[in-house]
Amino acid sequence: MTDALKRLSEEGVAIWLDDLSRKRITSGNLAELIDQQHVVGVTTNPSIFQKAISGGDGYDQQLADLAARKVTVEEAIRMITTADVRDAADILRPVYDSTQGQDGRVSIEVDPRLAHNTKATVAEAKQLAWLVDRPNTLIKIPATKAGLPAITETIGRGISVNVTLIFSLERYREVMDAYLAGLEKAKAAGIDLSGIHSVASFFVSRVDTEIDKRLDALGTPEAKAARGKAGLANARLAYEAYEEVFSSDRWAALDKAQANKQRPLWASTGVKDKAYKDTLYVDDLVAPNTVNTMPEATLAAAEDHGRITGNTIAGTYEQARAELDAVEKLGISYDDVVQLLEDEGVEKFEASWNDLLKSTEAELERLAPSEG
């Protein structure tokens, strides 16, 4: 074992776990990860909950109670997922307190079927914040076009947000703008800005997966040389945009009002191609005031053989631009790739949510008490 996770934390990278289940909560595993692996936050998504609940460990009693009450399947899912998030938030509360609210956070996502409906997304965000009822919750809102005004409105109401499914640099700038607009709205309403936090989840490995697939189809030496570089380049240029926005005059006015910067969060950090080192999206995305949310396998790999050598983003912007340009010159459209990934991201979460609805409905029927 190395102390790579400790060094990563010392470099200003908050380590969050990209997974949650009731078994992880009740077994003491989450508390152990916080205590021993420097984990200071948890992210969830519809796919994670679908896997946890369909796996069945620890949910039968609550499902039986919900079945006895004859609740709808949608209500059952909300009761189950918010219970897990509430319990995880309680376990992480000491971290939240010791970091003045920056970490110790647990994220829960709005219903992905609402991704293209601004008003419904805001209503769902308010409902989730009320249901979980913990100050260290982040409500996840996807960075779709309809999601942007929902982010502004939700932040403007004083609700902390994790913006998810960001793939493009242009969309990331729109996300930061939506956050600042939300803070300005909150400030005008007299809300204390120091209590509002946000992260922007910029996806990494999926960019490489899609672009590498297109490079492989080309099959040229130039295409082969460009493999595995776009994901890191894209994320590094996102950090450049973050530095620019959060050193602007607009930000300075909010900073004076005790607002918190919206940290970049590196998501989709599990390596999909076995040709690449399994800690690629950890070792090579080290910079202050960032978050890296890792599936457990990536967390274990980083702990075992991660190579943390200091800031690996500073000074890379020119090279990153050249690497994305090289892909574009090969005829692969960046704009086409990032739009496809956003569309697919929403579709995948919708599919997981629908699978969750089906499996939960089957469990409610199985556990329903007999009449009489």
Side-chain angles (χ1 to χ4, degrees):
M1 290 290 179
T2 69
D3 56 358
L5 297 178
K6 180 173 183 285
R7 291 204 300 275
L8 189 63
S9 298
E10 290 168 349
E11 289 292 338
V13 180
I15 299 167
W16 290 8
L17 176 71
D18 192 27
D19 191 52
L20 186 64
S21 67
R22 190 151 300 175
K23 184 177 181 181
R24 197 181 282 287
I25 291 164
T26 58
S27 68
N29 172 262
L30 177 57
E32 187 177 285
L33 291 172
I34 295 163
D35 185 50
Q36 298 178 17
Q37 270 81 30
H38 305 277
V39 169
V40 294
V42 168
T43 48
T44 68
N45 61 45
S47 300
I48 284 169
F49 277 128
Q50 192 274 327
K51 182 181 172 186
I53 296 169
S54 61
D57 257 338
Y59 295 98
D60 273 11
Q61 184 58 60
Q62 188 179 10
L63 281 162
D65 290 345
L66 291 165
R69 289 173 50 215
K70 294 185 168 64
V71 305
T72 65
V73 65
E74 283 89 352
E75 186 182 350
I77 288 170
R78 277 304 175 218
M79 292 299 103
I80 292 166
T81 57
T82 55
D84 278 1
V85 169
R86 189 180 307 114
D87 289 344
D90 287 344
I91 294 168
L92 278 154
R93 184 59 188 263
V95 177
Y96 170 83
D97 290 338
S98 67
T99 61
Q100 288 75 53
Q102 179 161 263
D103 288 307
R105 295 276 177 175
V106 187
S107 298
I108 184 168
E109 191 140 355
V110 297
D111 184 334
R113 296 172 299 179
L114 307 177
H116 303 296
N117 185 325
T118 301
K119 285 186 178 178
T121 294
V122 174
E124 174 97 340
K126 288 160 58 183
Q127 173 75 354
L128 285 173
W130 178 82
L131 272 174
V132 177
D133 193 27
R134 293 295 184 271
N136 49 330
T137 310
L138 289 172
I139 307 303
K140 289 181 83 174
I141 297 176
T144 56
K145 277 293 185 186
L148 295 171
I151 293 158
T152 295
E153 182 66 23
T154 304
I155 291 290
R157 291 173 178 270
I159 298 170
S160 295
V161 171
N162 175 344
V163 184
T164 188
L165 291 177
I166 308 171
F167 296 95
S168 86
L169 295 165
E170 181 184 359
R171 183 56 53 83
Y172 177 44
R173 286 183 178 275
E174 291 174 336
V175 164
M176 290 188 284
D177 181 71
Y179 175 61
L180 297 184
L183 290 176
E184 288 159 352
K185 194 167 187 172
K187 183 182 175 186
I191 296 172
D192 178 9
L193 300 191
S194 69
I196 304 173
H197 286 259
S198 183
V199 293
S201 296
F202 201 86
F203 281 55
V204 188
S205 69
R206 292 190 197 180
V207 173
D208 274 335
T209 300
E210 180 60 31
I211 288 180
D212 283 358
K213 182 172 74 177
R214 300 183 187 204
L215 290 169
D216 290 344
L218 291 174
T220 63
E222 294 84 359
K224 189 175 181 182
R227 290 185 93 258
K229 294 177 180 177
L232 285 176
N234 201 37
R236 286 167 167 173
L237 293 176
Y239 192 79
E240 180 187 38
Y242 157 78
E243 289 183 311
E244 183 185 310
V245 169
F246 289 99
S247 61
S248 66
D249 291 342
R250 184 183 183 191
W251 168 250
L254 291 163
D255 189 37
K256 283 180 186 173
Q258 307 301 308
N260 299 289
K261 291 179 180 178
Q262 181 187 56
R263 288 182 293 172
L265 178 151
W266 312 129
S268 182
T269 56
V271 173
K272 308 292 193 294
D273 189 327
K274 290 181 180 176
Y276 307 145
K277 61 178 180 177
D278 55 2
T279 59
L280 178 67
Y281 305 122
V282 178
D283 299 352
D284 291 8
L285 286 175
V286 178
N289 212 36
T290 58
V291 180
N292 194 311
T293 187
M294 310 177 204
E296 191 167 21
T298 303
L299 181 73
E303 180 184 40
D304 183 63
H305 51 266
R307 290 179 57 82
I308 308 304
T309 57
N311 190 325
T312 48
I313 293 182
T316 64
Y317 303 144
E318 191 177 331
Q319 179 67 25
R321 264 187 284 277
E323 285 165 351
L324 288 186
D325 286 346
V327 169
E328 196 83 34
K329 284 171 184 171
L330 289 167
I332 296 170
S333 166
Y334 174 86
D335 290 342
D336 179 67
V337 167
V338 293
Q339 187 59 56
L340 174 74
L341 290 171
E342 180 186 304
D343 294 342
E344 283 184 351
V346 173
E347 286 166 11
K348 284 175 183 175
F349 282 168
E350 275 191 36
S352 293
W353 195 260
N354 288 329
D355 288 344
L356 180 54
L357 286 168
K358 288 174 191 168
S359 59
T360 303
E361 189 168 37
E363 287 297 288
L364 289 170
E365 287 172 5
R366 178 178 72 83
L367 295 164
S370 54
E371 296 295 330

